[in-house]
Amino acid sequence: MKSHVVYVPVPAQSHIGGMLKLAKILHHGGFFITFINTEFNHRRLLRSSGLTSLESLPDWRFFSIPDGIPLSDAEAASEPKFPGATQDISALCNSCRNYIVNPLCDLIGKLNEEVRRKNGSDVPPISHIVADVFMDFAAAPAAEKVGLPLVHLFTISACATMALTLSLVHRNMPYAVER
């Protein structure tokens, strides 16, 4: 039986891109993939035709959860044409912290229960959750609820990791020359 991996990225373009790349690699290796996005990012992928290249793949499913942020006036007025480049980062962070946990736990619990009820289903039981390290606050309770192992993926680039590391080191480094 195939392993079934559920992906939970941070709802931001580069994080989703990194998760999709890993999911494609594992799918090619024989894994069943379930990819969970926020509704906003799911609509963006649909508009960009990004999902059409993956929808027809066997053993690949997409689901979305609400992010708790209402549509902007521009987006609501022109839906589905609005390009929706991004959401307000501050509002998105607050919404993720305060809103996404329950919908994510509910969806993963529902998916896991659905597979267990359908013994002859083509969908194997969920074997792992792969979450962006910045989504631990939401993915950890979901994994614990259904008793699944949680794997964290640090999706930022090597360059960003080095910059972050150096800034932290520099902040704690005593200056050799007084200013």
Side-chain angles (χ1 to χ4, degrees):
M1 180 170 280
K2 290 184 173 202
S3 291
H4 180 171
V5 181
V6 173
Y7 287 86
V8 183
V10 165
Q13 185 174 346
S14 62
H15 295 266
I16 294 168
M19 283 278 190
L20 276 172
K21 287 175 186 172
L22 177 62
K24 287 178 187 178
I25 291 168
L26 291 181
H27 180 264
H28 184 70
F31 285 74
F32 188 99
I33 306 297
T34 297
F35 202 89
I36 300 175
N37 260 321
T38 60
E39 291 171 348
F40 178 86
N41 286 309
H42 190 72
R43 286 191 311 269
R44 285 183 65 211
L45 279 172
L46 285 172
R47 281 194 303 267
S48 72
S49 300
L51 290 182
T52 55
S53 63
L54 300 175
E55 279 180 333
S56 62
L57 290 174
D59 304 333
W60 191 295
R61 304 183 307 172
F62 284 91
F63 288 92
S64 62
I65 56 174
D67 57 18
I69 299 176
L71 295 176
S72 68
D73 293 338
E75 188 176 15
S78 62
E79 187 69 28
K81 296 181 207 171
F82 182 72
T86 190
Q87 292 172 296
D88 175 76
I89 300 300
S90 176
L92 183 60
C93 289
N94 287 332
S95 179
C96 282
R97 258 192 314 273
N98 298 317
Y99 188 77
I100 284 183
V101 176
N102 289 334
L104 180 64
C105 286
D106 292 345
L107 177 60
I108 290 176
K110 180 182 127 195
L111 293 173
N112 206 39
E113 187 58 36
E114 181 182 288
V115 169
R116 287 190 176 154
R117 275 186 302 199
K118 297 179 182 176
N119 291 340
S121 171
D122 291 341
V123 179
I126 299 171
S127 54
H128 295 82
I129 297 174
V130 175
D132 193 298
V133 70
F134 298 112
M135 289 296 285
D136 182 64
F137 65 91
E144 189 175 318
K145 178 181 178 179
V146 293
L148 292 171
L150 175 63
V151 177
H152 290 106
L153 179 63
F154 201 58
T155 57
I156 65 174
S157 69
C159 182
T161 302
M162 185 59 118
L164 177 63
T165 303
L166 290 176
S167 71
L168 293 173
V169 167
H170 180 71
R171 210 179 292 159
N172 296 323
M173 185 194 256
Y175 289 101
V177 179
E178 288 188 25
R179 294 182 181 188

